[in-house]
Amino acid sequence: MIVVVAPPMTQRQGDGGRHSLVAIAHVRLMIVLLLFAAGVAMVLLRLATLAISTSPASSRDAAAALVPLRADLVDRNGAPLARTIDAWSIAVRPNKVIGDKALLAEQLAAVLPEHDAGYYRRILQGDTTFRYLRRRALPELVGQVNALGEPGIVFAREPERLYPQSTLAAHALGYLDMDGRGMRGMERYLDTRLTDPAERGQPVALSLDVRVQAALESELSQAMARFQAVGAAGVILDVDSGEVMAMTSLPTFNPNKVTSGGSELNIPTQGVYELGSTFKPLTVAAAIETGVASSMSKRYDATQPLPIGRFRIHDDHAERRWLNIPETLVHSSNIATARIADEMGEARMRTLFRSLGFDTPPSIEIEKARPIWPTFWARTTTMTSAYGHGIAVTPLHLATAYATMVNGGIWRPATLLKRAPGAVPKGRRVFSQATSDRMRQLLRLVVQEGTGRRGEAPGFRVGAKTGTAERVSGGGYSKKVNVSTFAAAFPMDHPRYVVIAMLDSPKGTKETYGFTSAAWTAAPVASRVISRTGPLLGVIPDARADVDTSELRGLLWHPAGQEKSAGPE
C-alpha cells in the first residue's frame, strides 16, 4: 500500500500584502461606522433633550415671524404715520465691477439722477469695497439698475421705516438712523417700546390728528410764503387733556430723506422767544386771582409813557387816558399792564410764571429747550415781563398757559401720546374757576372789540390775544423785524382747544398796508385754521351761542358814542 502525502501549498509572493490591506480597510471602515454612529447618537440625544425641555410651538410662535421689527406709529384715529416695510436697497462693490467703470458711471447717472456721472465715477474708482447707491428703492428702479447687467451691483431686501404722510408732522415724529435707532421726535422717545418683541406687534397711537395737522401746516405754509417769513410755528392743544392735536414747525423736512441740511429745529418746543403782548392776559389773570385787580372798573394811568430807570414804557397806539382792566387788554396797553405788574410786585409775578412752568423746559416727550429766565429780577423786569419782554419761552409754553387760563385754572402737561379719558393727569391749580370764567369773557372781548378782530371765526366764539415782539438781534432789539403771535381758544362759552399761530420775521404786504403785526399776519391764519379744524374736532359753529360779555362792554369808552377801533397790534 502506497501512501501519497501531498505537500502543503505555499503562499504566493504578494498575497500577504493584499490580505494586510484588506484588513486595514476593514478596520478603517469600522472606525468610520463607529464615528457615524456616535454622531447620529449625539444628534438623537440633542433632539431628545430639546423635545423634553422646549415647550410645544404655538400659533403665536408662528405669527412672531410676521411681527414688524419696529411697531407702527398711528394718529389718534388710526391713520398711519410711520411703519416698517420690507424695501430694496441698491449697492455697489467697486472691486467686483467687471465692466467699463466710466460707462457704468454714465449709466448710473441716467437711472439715479440725484448725482452726476462724476460722483458715481469716484465711487467706482475708489478703494471702498461696498457703497450704498440708494436706500428705500422702488421695485421699478431696482429693475432698471438690474438691467445694466453689472455683477458688481448688488440688491438686498432690508427693513425700512416709511413715513407715508411725507413731511406731515415731521418734527413730532422724528426719524431713524441707518441702524434703525430713533434719533429725534417720538421715534426716539418710544424707541424701546417700538422695538420690544413683546409689544412691537401693536401700533402706538399718538395724540395727533392728521386732518387737523394738515390744515394747520397748509395755512401756516401759505402765510409764511405770503409774508416771506423766515419761520412759522403752530400748536393746537386740547385744553382739558393736554393732548397735542397738531404741531407744526416751518421750514420742515422729509423724514424719509433726512439730510444734514434738514430743518430739524422744532420751533414749538425748541424755539425760545419773547412773545410780547400774549403775556398780558396772564398778568391780568394773576392780578384778578391775587385781588390786585379787585374790580374790572379799576383804572390805571396810561396818559403818558411810564418812566422806569433809564427807560420809558410806551404804548404802540396810545389812548393817553386812564384805562380800566377790559380796556387794558382791548387796547393792549403796555403802560397799564406794567402798572398792574408793579402793583403785584416781583414775588407774585415770579410765582405766576413758575406756576405756568415758564422757568423749566416745556412738558413734552420730544426735544425741548430751556426758557430764558431772568437772572436778576429788578423792578424793570417785573414790569416788562408782564407784557412779554425780558422772559423768553416756547410757543408750547404759551399754549399750555392759555389752556390753564380758560379750562378752569388747571395746568396740565402737554403730550404727544393719545390719552384715555381716565388717564388724564390731575394737574395743578393755578387759577380759580371764577378767574378762568372772567378771562374767557376778557379774551372774547379782545376779539369782539380789540386787536384780535381778524382772528374771529364766525360761529366758533374765539377768544384771543395778539402779540407783536421785536426780534432779538445782535445783542439788542430790531425795530424793523418782529415775531408775530396769535394765541386763541375756542369756543369761549365752553373752551375745548387752544390755537397758537406764530410767524418769525414776516414782511408787510399791500394787503396789510405794510403792517407786520400779529393782528394783520398771525390772526387771520388762526381764523382760517379754526374754521377748517373746528368741525373736524367736533366743534360745530353756532351763531346763537356765545359767552356773555355785556358787563365788560359797558366799561369800554367810545368817544361821542361811536365805537373806537383798537390799534392794529
Side-chain angles (χ1 to χ4, degrees):
M1 180 177 186
I2 300 172
V3 178
V4 179
V5 179
M9 295 181 63
T10 58
Q11 192 175 28
R12 295 181 183 178
Q13 186 177 1
D15 286 349
R18 185 163 51 251
H19 284 289
S20 176
L21 292 175
V22 171
I24 293 173
H26 285 171
V27 172
R28 290 178 175 174
L29 180 59
M30 290 300 294
I31 292 173
V32 172
L33 290 174
L34 289 172
L35 291 174
F36 180 76
V40 171
M42 292 179 65
V43 171
L44 293 175
L45 180 62
R46 179 59 177 164
L47 290 175
T49 303
L50 292 175
I52 295 172
S53 62
T54 305
S55 60
S58 63
S59 58
R60 182 177 179 181
D61 298 323
L66 303 177
V67 175
L69 293 178
R70 190 178 185 88
D72 291 352
L73 292 176
V74 298
D75 85 335
R76 64 187 305 103
N77 301 312
L81 296 173
R83 61 185 5 169
T84 298
I85 62 172
D86 195 18
W88 285 99
S89 66
I90 304 173
V92 64
R93 299 184 185 277
N95 58 335
K96 301 293 185 181
V97 173
I98 62 175
D100 185 337
K101 293 185 176 182
L103 176 60
L104 180 59
E106 297 287 345
Q107 294 172 326
L108 289 173
V111 294
L112 301 171
E114 60 265 31
H115 298 292
D116 58 19
Y119 172 85
Y120 294 111
R121 193 179 302 113
R122 287 191 294 273
I123 292 177
L124 296 172
Q125 295 175 350
D127 56 359
T128 58
T129 58
F130 182 89
R131 183 72 174 268
Y132 279 111
L133 299 178
R134 174 72 69 85
R135 309 290 292 271
R136 301 186 180 95
L138 296 175
E140 295 82 359
L141 180 61
V142 172
Q144 294 177 23
V145 178
N146 189 44
L148 299 180
E150 172 53 59
I153 297 178
V154 294
F155 309 92
R157 301 299 294 269
E158 58 182 15
E160 291 287 352
R161 196 63 163 173
L162 175 68
Y163 300 90
Q165 309 295 341
S166 187
T167 61
L168 195 72
H171 291 87
L173 296 175
Y175 57 88
L176 308 184
D177 64 9
M178 286 300 182
D179 295 321
R181 294 188 297 263
M183 295 302 294
R184 293 185 69 84
M186 293 303 283
E187 290 279 30
R188 180 179 180 180
Y189 176 77
L190 294 169
D191 196 52
T192 301
R193 159 64 178 85
L194 296 175
T195 56
D196 186 342
E199 296 186 281
R200 68 186 188 216
Q202 294 296 322
V204 176
L206 302 186
S207 61
L208 301 174
D209 185 320
V210 293
R211 305 166 303 168
V212 177
Q213 180 75 30
L216 180 62
E217 290 196 12
S218 171
E219 294 297 342
L220 278 172
S221 295
Q222 292 180 41
M224 183 175 168
R226 184 183 309 118
F227 298 113
Q228 302 178 53
V230 300
V235 176
I236 300 180
L237 184 73
D238 186 310
V239 303
D240 292 319
S241 68
E243 292 171 287
V244 176
M245 312 302 292
M247 177 183 288
T248 299
S249 180
L250 299 174
T252 187
F253 64 94
N254 188 343
N256 291 303
K257 300 177 181 179
V258 177
T259 64
S260 58
S263 301
E264 297 179 11
L265 175 70
N266 185 27
I267 297 175
T269 64
Q270 295 179 290
V272 178
Y273 300 91
E274 293 183 354
L275 294 176
S277 296
T278 58
F279 271 40
K280 291 174 182 174
L282 301 174
T283 301
V284 169
I288 295 172
E289 186 71 18
T290 58
V292 170
S294 55
S295 169
M296 290 293 98
S297 60
K298 184 175 182 179
R299 298 194 304 162
Y300 293 88
D301 183 4
T303 56
Q304 57 187 348
L306 175 61
I308 177 71
R310 299 182 296 108
F311 306 99
R312 285 178 176 268
I313 296 175
H314 299 262
D315 280 344
D316 289 336
H317 306 280
E319 290 292 302
R320 302 188 186 283
R321 60 186 178 85
W322 288 69
L323 301 176
N324 58 36
I325 299 297
E327 289 174 329
T328 296
L329 291 181
V330 165
H331 298 293
S332 196
S333 172
N334 295 336
I335 298 171
T337 306
R339 289 190 183 279
I340 293 173
D342 194 33
E343 186 175 345
M344 286 177 61
E346 172 195 338
R348 284 187 283 204
M349 287 298 292
R350 288 167 64 113
T351 298
L352 164 67
F353 293 139
R354 288 188 187 279
S355 67
L356 294 172
F358 285 5
D359 60 334
T360 60
S363 180
I364 195 74
E365 294 87 356
I366 59 177
E367 296 77 21
K368 48 202 168 188
R370 180 171 289 279
I372 299 177
W373 183 260
T375 55
F376 174 71
W377 281 76
R379 184 185 176 205
T380 306
T381 307
T382 299
M383 297 172 75
T384 59
S385 64
Y387 55 87
H389 287 269
I391 179 172
V393 298
T394 68
L396 185 59
H397 278 108
L398 188 66
T400 54
Y402 267 63
T404 303
M405 191 163 49
V406 303
N407 72 2
I410 305 298
W411 182 92
R412 291 186 180 90
T415 183
L416 278 164
L417 291 170
K418 184 178 180 180
R419 281 176 173 160
V424 176
K426 182 179 179 181
R428 62 173 179 262
R429 180 163 293 281
V430 177
F431 303 117
S432 67
Q433 182 67 55
T435 298
S436 180
D437 291 343
R438 179 65 80 185
M439 293 312 302
R440 296 177 189 178
Q441 292 178 304
L442 287 167
L443 289 172
R444 180 68 178 134
L445 192 67
V446 171
V447 173
Q448 292 174 329
E449 299 283 340
T451 59
R453 287 175 176 172
R454 292 179 183 84
E456 176 69 298
F460 289 101
R461 296 92 75 196
V462 178
K465 185 67 187 76
T466 53
T468 305
E470 295 173 348
R471 205 185 197 289
V472 176
S473 177
Y477 292 94
S478 172
K479 297 295 183 182
K480 298 181 179 180
V481 182
N482 59 43
V483 175
S484 299
T485 307
F486 194 72
F490 74 99
M492 292 311 292
D493 50 320
H494 184 217
R496 291 183 58 188
Y497 299 99
V498 162
V499 176
I500 304 295
M502 192 198 82
L503 292 170
D504 187 351
S505 309
K507 295 180 181 179
T509 66
K510 181 179 179 181
E511 290 74 18
T512 67
Y513 306 98
F515 289 117
T516 61
S517 61
W520 290 93
T521 57
V525 175
S527 172
R528 291 190 292 270
V529 167
I530 291 170
S531 295
R532 289 181 61 178
T533 63
L536 300 175
L537 293 168
V539 181
I540 306 302
D542 187 347
R544 297 169 299 177
D546 211 335
V547 60
D548 184 9
T549 59
S550 57
E551 174 193 357
L552 300 180
R553 281 174 178 267
L555 296 175
L556 300 181
W557 176 74
H558 300 299
Q562 300 296 317
E563 288 193 1
K564 184 175 177 62
S565 175
E569 182 179 329

